[in-house]
Amino acid sequence: MPKFITALLLALICVVSSQAKAADMQMRVGTLAPKNSLYHRQLLEMGETWRAVQGGASKYVVYADGSQGGEAEMARRMRIGQLQGALLSVVGLREIEPSITALQNLPLLFKSWEELDFVREKMRPAMEKKFLDKGFVVLAWGDAGWVRFFSKDAAVRPEDYKRMKFFAWGSEPEQQAIMKSLGYTPVPLETADILPSIQTGMINVVPSTPYFALASQVYNTAPHMLEINWAPIVGAMVVTTKSWEAMTPEAQKALRAAGDKAGSQMRAQARQEVTDAVEAMKKRGLIVHKPNAAEMQEWNALAEQLYPRIRGTMVPAETFDEVFKQVKAYRALPAK
């Protein structure tokens, strides 16, 4: 056989082999979101879109309910190739890129969802570039509602919570240090430990979104909710650049479009679920406490006291300043 024909055949074999390898991918995606929840369903829809375009024997598996560990653990699993993607809140995303904390770890800064959306869109290109530099592609931006305080006993003022023990993320030692310096008692735990810990008295207050409090049944043991929008829970769906680059261009395009759609739906539905979840819990015994004007002043004063402690510790100084700049720009816009 002439050499050029042999070389041509070998080249064709290599092309076919590489295409088959690219098509036959396995995408393993982790999340703390409960099975069959809004977030889980959106991840499944993204997967079906991707698998149909990627083709071959490709598989897409979503591990819900935190079965792959806490968010910091899922970030670690992505780095070593045990997971190819994850839907994470800021708690996990900060393990990849710390500047993301600026969207979640600034209490009482954002006054509305519209304000958060404005700031996130302004900062999104730079944020996504930082994630890309760390080896991750951001496919969808979502949120999960406002953090409220659920406690065993009634509490309305900041001082009331100093006699209580707070759930705190085990992976956020800076937050724990700040809380302790202000006279509060954080107890570092993982998400799976929240319900048994509040049932046994290890903790007696949980900062949580209403949806999570309802789904996890936390409100049964902590039936008092402070109606205060302490901070938004912000999240994103990310995949490793290694897995992204292994996809066909068509699959990348389809997954990107599916991610945009999923993010939009997650944000819209999650915001409605704040109201729906509170109403559902009230029917089952939840007691809602709303601070009056004087009490709200105390909370705002606490937030102002927290900001200089957060800047440069929980939130990188440069990103902290950028968020405040964008919030100021939003508030200067003409009223609609």
Side-chain angles (χ1 to χ4, degrees):
M1 183 181 293
K3 289 184 178 179
F4 81 93
I5 295 179
T6 302
L8 181 61
L9 287 172
L10 286 172
L12 287 171
I13 290 169
C14 288
V15 169
V16 172
S17 175
S18 64
Q19 287 178 339
K21 186 177 180 181
D24 296 344
M25 285 186 64
Q26 183 164 346
M27 289 287 290
R28 296 177 293 263
V29 177
T31 180
L32 293 181
K35 189 175 182 180
N36 297 323
S37 66
L38 158 68
Y39 310 98
H40 181 235
R41 294 195 304 271
Q42 291 298 327
L43 289 177
L44 291 176
E45 285 186 24
M46 287 178 66
E48 283 302 307
T49 299
W50 171 82
R51 195 173 60 79
V53 179
Q54 181 68 21
S58 298
K59 294 182 180 179
Y60 182 99
V61 182
V62 178
Y63 298 96
D65 295 308
S67 61
Q68 296 298 299
E71 294 205 343
E73 173 63 14
M74 283 189 276
R76 186 190 72 83
R77 285 177 180 265
M78 283 191 287
R79 285 197 176 96
I80 62 176
Q82 291 180 347
L83 291 174
Q84 284 68 53
L87 177 63
L88 302 171
S89 72
V90 164
V91 173
L93 295 171
R94 73 190 289 272
E95 298 293 317
I96 301 169
E97 173 46 54
S99 62
I100 190 68
T101 53
L103 295 177
Q104 182 172 302
N105 289 354
L106 296 173
L108 299 179
L109 177 63
F110 297 111
K111 305 304 182 186
S112 67
W113 288 120
E114 291 77 17
E115 196 166 90
L116 172 63
D117 288 340
F118 176 89
V119 173
R120 176 165 41 200
E121 284 305 306
K122 290 292 184 182
M123 300 182 70
R124 180 175 174 176
M127 286 275 191
E128 292 185 357
K129 175 62 167 58
K130 289 177 180 178
F131 274 89
L132 191 61
D133 291 343
K134 298 291 179 64
F136 292 84
V137 176
V138 180
L139 291 176
W141 289 95
D143 44 57
W146 297 104
V147 170
R148 306 273 175 81
F149 295 150
F150 290 81
S151 57
K152 284 191 170 184
D153 299 318
V156 180
R157 300 173 57 237
E159 193 70 22
D160 296 337
Y161 289 91
K162 288 188 177 180
R163 66 176 187 270
M164 302 183 181
K165 292 174 288 186
F166 274 78
F167 161 76
W169 292 103
S171 59
E172 292 190 333
E174 304 95 336
Q175 182 191 48
Q176 296 161 38
I178 291 171
M179 290 178 70
K180 289 177 182 176
S181 74
L182 293 171
Y184 297 94
T185 305
V187 179
L189 298 166
E190 288 294 343
T191 307
D193 302 322
I194 292 176
L195 186 58
S197 295
I198 200 162
Q199 289 173 337
T200 59
M202 181 180 290
I203 56 175
N204 39 40
V205 56
V206 180
S208 167
T209 63
Y211 179 81
F212 177 81
L214 175 62
S216 65
Q217 301 295 297
V218 159
Y219 76 97
N220 283 328
T221 312
H224 295 272
M225 186 194 83
L226 183 66
E227 190 174 330
I228 183 173
N229 292 338
W230 181 246
I233 292 293
V234 174
M237 162 67 171
V238 298
V239 297
T240 62
T241 52
K242 182 178 180 180
S243 63
W244 178 256
E245 291 168 356
M247 299 176 195
T248 65
E250 295 78 13
Q252 290 178 346
K253 183 178 180 181
L255 188 57
R256 178 77 73 183
D260 287 341
K261 179 182 176 183
S264 177
Q265 292 182 345
M266 280 190 283
R267 293 192 299 273
Q269 294 182 42
R271 295 169 188 187
Q272 180 58 41
E273 283 179 347
V274 171
T275 302
D276 295 346
V278 170
E279 290 305 311
M281 289 185 288
K282 283 169 65 176
K283 291 176 181 177
R284 302 172 195 177
L286 180 73
I287 304 166
V288 176
H289 304 274
K290 188 175 179 66
N292 59 32
E295 291 160 348
M296 200 63 224
Q297 282 185 348
E298 293 181 29
W299 283 106
N300 287 322
L302 174 61
E304 292 293 335
Q305 191 179 359
L306 284 168
Y307 293 151
R309 298 170 188 246
I310 290 171
R311 185 180 185 273
T313 56
M314 290 181 67
V315 178
E318 181 182 357
T319 322
F320 180 100
D321 295 341
E322 179 66 18
V323 167
F324 273 79
K325 174 185 172 183
Q326 296 300 341
V327 166
K328 184 178 180 180
Y330 176 83
R331 293 174 185 172
L333 293 173
K336 294 181 181 180

